[in-house]
Amino acid sequence: MPLSPLEHDRRYGELDQVMRAYAGQTADDTADKPSAALTAYLRHTWHSRPWALAVAERQLREYADHPPGRLRLRLGEFYPIPDVGLPEGEIQQWLYCLADHIKHSVEEGEVPPTATPATHWEWQARFPELGQFLGGWFSQDMPDEFDGHDSAVDDYRASTDPQLTARLVGELHELLALGLDESDYALAVAELGMEVDPPAPYSPGGWLALVADRLGVPRAEYGPQPSDG
């Protein structure tokens, strides 16, 4: 019987987060050094959900202790480890290696310092609402759906809960606070799902600052006005 969503999260939820961190990355962890993917996972999780590290370590180790057979995987009774480019015979030891790195990080208090995201997963994990905004309103279909960038921003604002809009503004300011070069801002918006260029004459960073200013102004609410008499 396939796993229910609740059972999946109970047994493999944080393991799945670790595996997602390896999308497009090399699983080149060694006993002496974690990969860029695991370092990104550790950095983001330490600074956002530190309690989840112990869960990840346990789930990784339990999965390695009891690897599923082909039949149970086919029936959906176990979480299938995605292809990370390693031979099947090396997966078990690799999972133990990840668990050991996470355990060491927690027990020794070794926290990767805050830094610019280094992987696609880390960009998406650190700036989730910005990813929704850029990926949802500024995909390659944007010119067919809206009259321009301003129209797309207005549509986001009109159709999005004000609390989420406020969260987006906070993420925009956080991204701008990184003080990146314009080439790095171009990379950032691409990693976060933007598939069109900013409107002329703005650079990526300049346009993000403009959007933050526009969305940071409280939306006017129109309705019946109280009478004077």
Side-chain angles (χ1 to χ4, degrees), residues 68-81:
R70 296 181 186 276
L71 176 60
R72 301 196 73 180
L73 282 174
R74 190 164 64 248
L75 292 174
E77 296 178 351
F78 265 85
Y79 171 80
I81 295 291

Side-chain angles (χ1 to χ4, degrees), residues 44-61:
H44 178 71
T45 308
W46 261 116
H47 290 281
S48 61
R49 303 179 301 125
W51 53 264
L53 293 165
V55 179
E57 189 268 344
R58 174 179 57 78
Q59 291 184 356
L60 283 161
R61 209 172 292 283

Side-chain angles (χ1 to χ4, degrees), residues 73-96:
L73 282 174
R74 190 164 64 248
L75 292 174
E77 296 178 351
F78 265 85
Y79 171 80
I81 295 291
D83 184 4
V84 293
L86 295 175
E88 186 175 346
E90 296 180 14
I91 294 294
Q92 184 180 41
Q93 287 305 312
W94 175 66
L95 294 174
Y96 283 133

